[in-house]
Amino acid sequence: MEDRIVMDLNTLWNRRFQSYIKIRVHYFSYMVNGGLLIGLLILLVTGIYYYIGWLKNLPETFPTNLLTSFVLSGFIACVQIRLFIKRADTLYLLPLERALEKSYFKKGRIFSFIRSFALLLIGVIIVLPLYSQNHEMTILSNILLIIGLSIVLGLNVSYSYVLRRKHSGFFTWLLMFVHSFVYSFIFVSSEMKYLIIGLLLSISLQLYSMRIYQTTAFPWEAFLKSQSRADLIFYSIANQFLDVKEYQKRVKRRAYLNAVLALFSNEATLYYLIRTFIRKGDSFGLFLRLTIIGVIVISFASLNEIWLFLFVGFIQFITGFQLIKYFYEAISQIPFHFLPVSSKYKQKAVGKLLSLLLFIQFGCFSISLMLFGENINPLAYILTLFTSVTLTVLFIHRKTI
């Protein structure tokens, strides 16, 4: 009877795993066709260029081992346990918890390790140029480093799975980070005298995990929330390339921006439009991301006036052009139909909010220029930005009338 239950659970896990892969492949194919690959290539080339330049100017006294260990620890500690459970399982599979531990959850931990191992390889590739500054690298040493880090990763997966029964995700991550950092520093610096600290830490975590496992029940709610959060992050990224139904219906209150809403309480249409913008994840996130990208590029890339004008004009135009779609979609929703104002007034409200957001973006760009601009007259930069913003606002405002 028990063997039959285990077999059925394995079938259920395989079915859910295949569904998970199918959904991910479906969205990834659209994301790649939508420009994700090109964006990643541009980001990769830019990152490599500045990374190499930073390494060339690295002083001999730079704490290479500490930074390498710190980065590796971040990758190893980012363990997200994926068990492929659903809300209904808390009712129908609860009596089978012992059988789930033997097969279903075990497969989930193995999958989590494989996925985390792929992330670890990316981290190793990133830090190898930095690691090679003070160490001679050979194929054997790299393989031994990966094997050692993989063992630590396996321990982290095991510990994280049990610790979530009692502790929050952040506390669990913090413990895993400390555990990973000790071993990463040992492997990177070859300081074997610290090995006793790592072994004591691992033994302590093992004993503590065993105690928690024996005295607490399986935390269905914690893993369901963690899984839901991971799905939301993936869907939010995919939603930038195609419409994702699972993501579009989600809103976030963002109570810390209530003071901003209060400033527009006298204009009903503008008030509800701003509230929709703040609480709708896709439009608010789009504006935030484009603004941050612009600030980073302006602050750290050496752009002359011409390239600055073209870049800022492009960012401003893309921001306004994308937000128009969201705002017109918002005013076409049922709540806006009950506002006793004409369609032309609603369109003007869209123009007002669009102009306000673009000028806010302009202010962020100007501040970054004044703080980080070098060897160029800041007034020339601000004039270039203002011209670009003015042209963009005029163009977009004409579209909304």
Side-chain angles (χ1 to χ4, degrees), residues 313-337:
F314 175 76
I315 291 291
Q316 293 264 284
F317 178 81
I318 290 297
T319 302
F321 190 78
Q322 291 292 328
L323 290 179
I324 282 178
K325 179 184 70 173
Y326 291 115
F327 292 158
Y328 273 114
E329 181 182 347
I331 63 175
S332 66
Q333 300 299 318
I334 292 178
F336 284 88
H337 293 170

Side-chain angles (χ1 to χ4, degrees), residues 28-47 241 293 314:
F28 269 120
S29 61
Y30 281 104
M31 290 162 67
V32 170
N33 292 333
L36 176 64
L37 186 60
I38 297 176
L40 289 176
L41 286 175
I42 294 174
L43 184 64
L44 180 64
V45 172
T46 306
F241 301 89
I293 290 173
F314 175 76

Side-chain angles (χ1 to χ4, degrees), residues 41-59:
L41 286 175
I42 294 174
L43 184 64
L44 180 64
V45 172
T46 306
I48 291 175
Y49 173 79
Y50 284 102
Y51 189 30
I52 293 175
W54 178 70
L55 290 176
K56 288 180 179 178
N57 299 321
L58 208 61

Side-chain angles (χ1 to χ4, degrees), residues 245-283:
K245 295 180 181 179
E246 293 86 345
Y247 178 77
Q248 288 183 335
K249 295 180 180 180
R250 301 183 69 99
V251 294
K252 194 171 183 179
R253 184 179 178 184
R254 295 188 175 92
Y256 53 88
L257 292 176
N258 284 345
V260 177
L261 279 174
L263 298 175
F264 302 92
S265 57
N266 294 328
E267 298 184 52
T269 305
L270 191 58
Y271 173 84
Y272 284 110
L273 193 60
I274 294 175
R275 191 177 71 167
T276 303
F277 166 72
I278 290 176
R279 297 182 178 181
K280 195 84 178 289
D282 43 8
S283 56

Side-chain angles (χ1 to χ4, degrees), residues 295-311:
V295 168
I296 292 175
V297 172
I298 291 173
S299 301
F300 299 102
S302 300
L303 300 177
N304 57 34
E305 284 83 350
I306 296 177
W307 281 109
L308 179 67
F309 176 82
L310 294 175
F311 174 75

